[in-house]
Amino acid sequence: MLFHSRAHRRAMEISGLTDGMKVLEVATGSGEMFRRLVRANPTGSTIGVDLSPNMAARTQRSARHRFPLAQTYCQAVDARHMPFRNDAFDAIFCCYLLELLSAEDIAGALREFRRVLRSRGKLTLVLIGQHTQVFNTAYKVATKVAPAFWGRQVERRVPEMIASARFEILHDRKVQQGFYPSRVLVAQK
């Protein structure tokens, strides 16, 4: 909430999400964005995946507790190899995952996003921003201390990777919450 809530709100505003959609969130983490998605899509279907079975289960419990009538389901899934049929989702959201992946794995995840997203469906990405030098310096220090937790900054390279995966970028917004910068991209298949 201290670092991501403003970026999550902006992503929701510009994503084109409407109630009744079939929505996938990749890398649910603690479930902050997933709960926002379920709240905005009460008559639709909201699916969440996370590599960690514990995080997926935690997010599922929280969503079911807060929204007992909503169609929600979370499971442990690798974003590079998702068990969903082609063209299964109207919208995909992915927040702060790409920083933890290699360039090859980002490309693989983007291919999977394209595969499971229906034609003209929207992909909304939230990335750690690189638009403040003070943050970039602090981030480099943090990644040396705990690289597996922080990953690496990829925000400047992602638009080109999105285009290579045959998505068209519709919206590109920079968001600042205190010291923490984010970048929100919405692309269409």
Side-chain angles (χ1 to χ4, degrees), residues 52-73:
S52 164
N54 290 336
M55 293 306 270
R58 178 179 180 221
T59 298
Q60 179 67 38
R61 280 191 307 274
S62 173
R64 288 258 168 95
H65 176 73
R66 292 182 185 194
F67 309 100
L69 300 178
Q71 291 183 18
T72 64
Y73 183 72

Side-chain angles (χ1 to χ4, degrees), residues 11-33:
M12 295 293 292
E13 291 167 4
I14 64 175
S15 69
L17 177 71
T18 58
D19 188 19
M21 288 182 156
K22 188 164 185 186
V23 178
L24 173 66
E25 184 188 7
V26 177
T28 59
S30 64
E32 178 189 348
M33 181 57 125

